Amino acid sequence: MNEQYVWDLHQVDGTQVALVGGKGAHLGALSRIEGVRVPGGFCVTTEAFRRIIEEAPSVGDLLDRLSRVEADDRESIRTLSARIRRTIEETAVPDDLAAAITRALARSGERAAHAVRSSATAEDLPTASFAGQQDTYLNVVGPAAILRHISRCWASLFTERAVTYRQRGGIDHRTVHMAVVVQQMVLPYASGILFTADPLTGDRKSATVDAGFGLGEALVSGLVNPDVFTVRDGQVVARTIAAKQRALIALPAGGTQEVAIDAQRQERPALTDAQAVRLVELGRRIEAHFGHPQDIEWCLVDDGFRIVQSRPITTLFPVPERADPDNHVYVSVGHGQMMTDPMKPLGYSMWQLTAMVAMHEAGGRLFVDVTPRLASPTSRAALLDALGKGDPLVRDALQTVLDRGDFVPSLPDPGPGGQPAGGPPPGGVRGGGAPDPIETDPAVVADLVERSRVSLAALERDIRTKSGPALFDFLLEAFEEHKRILSDPLSIQAVMAGMEATWWLNDKLGEWLGEKNPADTLTLSAPGNVTSEMGLALLDVADVIRPFPEVVAFLRGVRDDGFLDELAKLAGGPEARDAIEAYLDRYGMRCVGEIDITRPRWREHPSALVPVILDHVRNFEPGAAGRRFELGRQKARQKEQDVLSRLRALPDGDRKADETKRMIDRVRTFIGYREYPKYGIISRYSVYKQALTAEAERLVRAGALAEREDAFYLTFQELHSVVRSNRPADARLVQQRKEAFRAHHALTPPRVLTSDGEALTGAYRRDDVPAGALAGVPVSAGTVEGRARVVLDMADADLEAGDILVTAFTDPSWSPLFVGIAGLVTEVGGLMTHGAVIAREYGLPAVVGVERATRLIRDGQRIRVHGADGYVEILS
């Protein structure tokens, strides 16, 4: 046997993906697991594939052309991939290669039936299964037919769907090679698929078995509905027996045929409960071997189960690592911070080091373990209240777990004067109740802002001289100061005072006057909100640029970040540059996804602001910022006079009016400060990043890093270790982290995640939403109708006056867009998240927390946003 081209399956193990592809490596590894039976066979290696490509030199030219095609250019992909497939299939298999394959076939008999399966080097991987991207042929009989089908498998590396899959995943076609697995054909009584974790909920303790009669391809292709068994803790806990009218069987001369099943057999289970349990036990053994939940194809023959394929389930959201076997419930940090994209390792490790509560990483996202706070009734109620005010879906998801009664341990309430179990809830937010005893005095806010400014100035001064190990020692001390500022009791009281005054006004004026969310109007143009000021300030930049047509034309062509120096050469350019520079001096530390320190800041990437500036130049008249702020202030003042007048006409009206006036003063004093702590955090992050970036550049010069951005794929602790040891970073680890980061983008983070892997999103459970409307959280009153602009990247925004912005999430960096839109819809958010606060200050009708809004609403559709009632209607 030519070992260069043909290997028996029993020679193969899981490390040989490059030689036998993902499927072949998995089958070889499966055959080595005790108690797992895999049909015998052999692999035609990737060396054979390379040999065929060499025999067809035109394939190289076609691959060059394919690499230049965009992933959405379906016509070019279809044409080029078809030519590559045809060339490969028409290339004759060299005699020595054909002889090696024929010799391998002789071991099981030349006329024996075989399955011929594609096995690419980029499939069945922990981060990407590539399931169904290449071809499989069943019941192939005879050497000539098998050679022909091997050629078809090679060619199937370039099916249109496989090429598109790789294009979208950023995978170079030349780096992927095709092996082929040739296995003895199994003629099963029943077959199907076993998922060792629930593929819908992610629950790792529940396994799902799909089963039908005959060959499993009938299930995979959707020819029949399968029986479905759910197995948990060694027993079948649910089953659905389908009417299986058809089956796929193997024909004696080769090929397969669809046949009808006898009527009396159609509703007979394909497996007994005992067989389903035994199959899951086998699956658990396979799962333990590979270390990941598995998607397993199986067959049942007279004497037991055969495993014909196993691949990782790549769609499951990872579970945070834990040190004990106990049950845990985790709440997403990203949903509270309005940034649900994955973070790079340096980003999430820095957030962990500067956060007030312990945070656990999974899938590039952070989670807080709230199990201790759910365990006792008092702390549970406070947590649910606090999180429910922020995001009702989080509360509902937690309640779903609690209602099961057996997942979260129950602990007694603390005694008198004791603290609720588990410490503060995520982010230091606490529940409602009476406002804190803090005076309604603008000087309190001014003092807090000054404290933050002084601390930041000291950080900027002291870090300048630090490098190497001394820098990391300094940063660890700076993180303690960072947390001290975050936990400043007066700062927390000021934030809570504004929030609680908002809740008080909405509750009491709703009770006394029937007003719905009156605080939305009463907080318009509240003073001291650094995020809303940031949005208005970009209107002032547009005012400077608008009078200079040459500058406007130049900005329309900006494609990179070096434009500011060129700008100064134009008529009006110095003024425009100075205005943009002044804006960056004040807000250049901000960016989309700013809680990840590795994201490029506006100061590093100023071209990100250019589309928004141009929108403002086109859509607004000079002086718009001042007029908008003053109009909001007047509306708030008029609303105040209206409610106070109406209250005084009620029984006990003077008291009610006086209380309300105190709360209006209170909310306008403190609600703007709600945005300042985040501004302070991101200002400090900018200083940290500048120092760490300089250190990364030093490491590149010293040969310890290949490139500066490699530092982003190490945690803070790992980067510290590289600096301290003066040794190069682990290049293989960096590459693995880059691949994992790309894979994490395909995962949707849940609001709530259990240690069993169950992902919960929650539900609104409302009966006041019209049929067909999309429910969400009402965060800013008013009703508006307009064109939906679905924007996933702020740099791609192209907004006209009257447009309604629909996006996944909005952190403070999106506020410059808010001044130019008529309404807001987001997938993530709650009453007091940043987007909601700014929407209220600008008077924008807004609904947040609308699940899958960016997929259910198409760009350009007309929609109606009901900001007070919390739903969105799709009109066209």
Side-chain angles (χ1 to χ4, degrees), residues 423-573:
V429 177
R430 62 178 185 76
D436 289 315
I438 176 177
E439 297 218 14
T440 302
D441 183 356
V444 172
V445 173
D447 180 56
L448 286 167
V449 170
E450 178 62 13
R451 286 192 212 177
S452 180
R453 189 198 65 76
V454 169
S455 177
L456 178 64
L459 173 66
E460 291 172 330
R461 181 190 66 238
D462 296 342
I463 204 171
R464 287 179 189 144
T465 59
K466 304 297 189 294
S467 65
L471 170 64
F472 287 83
D473 293 340
F474 174 83
L475 284 172
L476 289 171
E477 293 179 7
F479 296 163
E480 294 307 309
E481 168 68 1
H482 183 121
K483 289 191 282 190
R484 188 194 66 76
I485 293 170
L486 272 182
S487 61
D488 182 339
L490 186 63
S491 178
I492 294 171
Q493 286 177 318
V495 170
M496 291 307 302
M499 293 167 65
E500 288 171 335
T502 300
W503 299 329
W504 190 97
L505 287 166
N506 285 337
D507 290 346
K508 292 298 185 182
L509 295 183
E511 175 188 343
W512 294 336
L513 298 176
E515 288 271 353
K516 183 176 286 187
N517 300 329
D520 293 359
T521 306
L522 291 167
T523 54
L524 287 171
S525 298
N529 187 318
V530 69
T531 306
S532 62
E533 289 169 359
M534 177 174 69
L536 295 173
L538 206 60
L539 284 174
D540 292 334
V541 174
D543 284 354
V544 174
I545 291 169
R546 191 178 292 105
F548 302 110
E550 193 176 350
V551 171
V552 174
F554 170 80
L555 290 177
R556 289 195 184 110
V558 164
R559 295 292 180 269
D560 59 53
D561 294 317
F563 70 93
L564 287 171
D565 291 337
E566 292 297 314
L567 187 61
K569 301 174 185 177
L570 307 175

Side-chain angles (χ1 to χ4, degrees), residues 440 504-505 508-509 512 640 643-666:
T440 302
W504 190 97
L505 287 166
K508 292 298 185 182
L509 295 183
W512 294 336
E640 175 183 334
V643 297
L644 294 179
S645 173
R646 290 162 60 199
L647 285 170
R648 289 193 177 97
L650 298 176
D652 199 20
D654 288 342
R655 178 188 63 81
K656 291 173 180 173
D658 289 346
E659 287 184 19
T660 300
K661 171 60 175 168
R662 284 197 297 272
M663 283 300 176
I664 292 173
D665 291 346
R666 191 168 182 79

Side-chain angles (χ1 to χ4, degrees), residues 9 22-24 26-28 30-31 36-40 115-119 124 136 138 181-188 190-194 214-217 220 279 282 286 295-301 305-311:
L9 270 180
K23 188 177 287 114
H26 264 67
L27 286 169
L30 280 166
S31 67
V36 176
R37 301 172 69 180
V38 176
V116 182
R117 301 175 180 271
S118 304
S119 180
D124 294 353
T136 288
L138 299 178
V181 176
V182 181
Q183 275 182 291
Q184 294 168 18
M185 190 69 191
V186 175
L187 305 179
S191 57
I193 301 168
L194 160 64
L215 295 170
E217 272 61 25
V220 174
L279 177 60
L282 196 61
I286 295 169
D295 166 357
I296 298 168
E297 295 182 24
W298 57 269
C299 297
L300 177 64
V301 294
F305 290 104
R306 303 289 189 277
I307 304 300
V308 294
Q309 188 166 323
S310 182
R311 63 170 70 93

Side-chain angles (χ1 to χ4, degrees), residues 843-866:
L844 294 175
V847 179
V848 302
V850 180
E851 278 288 286
R852 301 174 62 236
T854 59
R855 283 165 282 183
L856 296 173
I857 300 171
R858 295 194 309 275
D859 187 59
Q861 282 186 309
R862 288 197 68 77
I863 63 174
R864 184 180 297 128
V865 177
H866 295 263

Side-chain angles (χ1 to χ4, degrees), residues 471 689-699 701 708:
L471 170 64
K689 183 176 186 181
Q690 290 174 46
L692 287 170
T693 300
E695 191 63 23
E697 290 169 347
R698 187 188 67 78
L699 291 172
R701 292 192 298 272
R708 187 184 73 175

